């Protein structure tokens, strides 16, 4: 079922993970500087979101909601561990048993507080509890379920109900667990062509170029899948790390301009996503680019031709049949 929206929509989702995003491959060690610069980039982003009244969904790794942890001898006994073939020792071995002030790359309640106090309302969504890769056979249903339950519990401590989900590495699986735990929406991936799926440098270059040219698919439709709303991403706001730094920010903005135009024209979704630490790779030009995009969104919204719901709001409307003619 693909309902037609009554109006085009701009969705913004942010995979908020700090060091957790590199737990599975140990890459968090190489990006400590970027993670340390992320809070300042997030503060600047929140101020832009407030200024242009842009609503976003922050898919936060559940552990970042904690102020501290590890009372007993075993780290998080409530979590069923993934069984990935490359793991040596326990999944949580690299993770500190500590608290927010001492290890700010593994705990971020301060960041959650700033998100919640943004001048424009923001949604806190879920990105698993410890950034497990759900679609890998090493992540059992029991593992995924324990991860999601831990997030739901942590969010409850904040008075938050989680309804939107973003899969780490966009690896979609176990949708039945999400539905059981009260989720209504997840971010899917639009088909971005064969080249972008290739491993190694060819795929990396293809993916990089993809996000700075205004080539289709630029928009997508929500889709009802296994009792949830799949809200496909249609653009990644490319960082400026490594070779991606050679690609002009103007390309990222041009792609968004075309996507927003088509979303408004065709009553479809333009769904942009990024990781907050991506902004720390070159904060000034990347935030200036985002500001240009937000200005376009605000202009179309003020002219009544584009909505800017959070993922959760859109799912709620779709559930209610509002915005649907199908
Ligand atoms: Zn912990
Ligand atoms: Zn992630």
């Amino acid at each position: 079922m693909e309902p037609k929206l009554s109006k085009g929509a701009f969705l913004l989702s942010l995979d908020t993970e700090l060091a957790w995003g590199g737990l599975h491959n140990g890459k968090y060690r190489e990006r400590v500087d970027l993670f340390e610069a992320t809070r300042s980039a997030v503060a600047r982003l929140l101020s832009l979101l407030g200024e242009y009244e842009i609503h976003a969904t922050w898919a936060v790794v559940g552990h970042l909601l904690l102020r501290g942890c590890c009372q007993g001898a075993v780290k998080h006994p409530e979590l069923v561990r993934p069984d990935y073939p490359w793991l040596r020792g326990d999944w949580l071995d690299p993770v500190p048993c500590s608290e927010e002030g001492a290890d700010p790359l593994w705990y971020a309640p301060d960041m959650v507080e700033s998100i919640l106090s943004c001048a424009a309302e923001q949604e806190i969504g879920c990105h698993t509890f410890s950034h497990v890769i759900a679609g890998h056979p090493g992540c059992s249903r029991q593992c995924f379920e324990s991860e999601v339950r831990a997030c739901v519990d942590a969010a409850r401590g904040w008075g938050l109900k989680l309804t939107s989900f973003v899969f780490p590495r966009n690896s979609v699986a176990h949708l039945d667990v999400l539905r059981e735990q009260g989720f209504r929406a997840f971010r899917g991936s639009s088909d971005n062509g064969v080249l972008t799926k290739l491993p190694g440098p060819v795929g990396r270059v293809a993916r990089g170029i993809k996000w700075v040219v205004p080539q289709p698919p630029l928009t997508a439709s929500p889709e009802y899948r296994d009792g949830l709303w799949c809200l496909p991403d249609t653009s990644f706001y490319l960082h400026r790390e490594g070779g991606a730094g050679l690609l002009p920010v103007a390309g990222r903005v041009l792609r968004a301009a075309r996507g927003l135009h088509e979303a408004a024209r065709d009553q479809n979704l333009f769904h942009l996503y990024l990781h907050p630490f991506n902004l720390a790779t070159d904060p000034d030009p990347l935030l200036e680019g985002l500001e240009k995009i937000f200005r376009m969104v605000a202009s179309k919204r003020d002219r009544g031709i584009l909505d800017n719901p959070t993922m959760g709001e859109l799912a709620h409307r779709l559930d209610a049949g509002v915005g649907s003619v199908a």
Side-chain angles (χ1 to χ4, degrees):
M1 182 168 72
E2 285 190 12
K4 189 85 184 150
L5 301 170
S6 62
K7 206 185 264 191
F10 168 64
L11 297 180
L12 176 62
S13 54
L14 298 127
D15 305 17
T16 308
E17 52 200 40
L18 292 173
W20 290 95
L23 176 60
H24 68 287
N25 55 12
K27 281 212 172 156
Y28 64 91
R29 296 186 195 93
E30 299 163 21
R31 289 183 164 151
V32 168
D33 289 353
L34 289 179
F35 298 144
E36 285 176 352
T38 297
R39 278 175 169 78
S40 126
V42 164
R44 292 174 65 186
L45 172 60
L46 285 168
S47 126
L48 288 177
L49 293 171
E51 184 179 346
Y52 293 94
E53 290 179 61
I54 302 291
H55 306 289
T57 296
W58 297 71
V60 180
V61 163
H63 196 281
L64 294 177
L65 296 168
L66 306 183
R67 297 197 178 278
C69 59
C70 298
Q71 261 78 48
V74 181
K75 289 176 187 171
H76 297 285
E78 73 279 19
L79 297 179
V80 176
R81 307 313 206 232
D83 182 20
Y84 300 130
W86 62 85
L87 281 184
R88 302 281 170 266
D90 185 60
W91 167 245
L92 295 178
D93 275 349
V95 175
C97 248
S98 178
E99 56 186 25
E100 52 177 319
D103 278 296
L105 305 192
W106 300 95
Y107 305 84
D110 58 317
M111 203 190 290
V112 176
E113 275 160 9
S114 351
I115 295 166
L116 291 174
S117 53
C118 178
E121 197 174 331
Q122 307 295 308
E123 176 187 24
I124 300 292
C126 185
H127 197 42
T128 73
F129 191 76
S130 68
H131 210 267
V132 290
I133 302 159
H136 189 285
C139 177
S140 64
R141 189 181 191 280
Q142 290 76 7
C143 167
F144 188 72
E145 191 174 29
S146 71
E147 287 270 325
V148 175
R149 187 168 292 135
C151 293
V152 169
D153 289 347
R156 194 178 296 125
W158 285 78
L160 298 169
K161 180 167 168 26
L162 301 171
T163 54
S164 301
F165 195 89
V166 170
F167 286 90
R169 321 276 303 166
N170 288 325
S171 177
V172 175
H174 306 300
L175 292 177
D176 56 322
V177 172
L178 292 185
R179 202 179 55 242
E180 279 173 24
Q181 295 288 330
F183 285 80
R184 296 306 311 133
F186 68 97
R187 191 177 73 206
S189 288
S190 41
D191 185 4
N192 288 305
V194 179
L195 283 179
T196 63
K197 293 189 183 72
L198 292 175
V202 176
R204 217 165 27 243
V205 169
R207 284 192 295 277
I209 292 173
K210 171 80 200 174
W211 303 130
V212 297
V213 291
Q215 259 183 11
L218 291 164
T219 63
S221 299
E223 190 190 328
Y224 198 63
R225 207 196 295 177
D226 294 347
L228 294 162
W229 292 103
C230 171
L231 306 173
D233 62 55
T234 57
S235 267
F236 175 55
Y237 192 68
L238 186 67
H239 51 77
R240 303 204 82 205
E241 200 173 3
L246 302 172
L247 300 169
V249 172
R252 296 158 177 80
V253 177
L254 184 64
R255 185 176 162 87
R258 187 69 64 83
L260 291 169
H261 169 76
E262 290 187 11
R265 184 193 65 196
D266 304 336
Q267 292 158 257
N268 235 335
L269 299 177
F270 177 70
H271 188 169
L272 185 68
Y273 80 101
L274 67 138
H275 307 80
F277 82 84
N278 293 151
L279 297 174
T281 58
D282 200 358
D284 289 346
L286 286 171
L287 285 158
E288 276 162 29
L290 275 183
E291 181 167 13
K292 287 182 183 144
I293 295 171
F294 295 164
R295 198 176 289 136
M296 290 186 271
V297 171
S299 156
K300 285 182 164 45
R301 180 194 61 212
D302 295 348
R303 282 187 283 142
I305 57 170
L306 191 76
D307 269 340
N308 164 227
T310 61
M311 288 174 65
E313 276 167 356
L314 183 57
H316 180 71
R317 279 185 220 166
L318 289 165
D319 273 337
V322 178
S324 162
V325 294

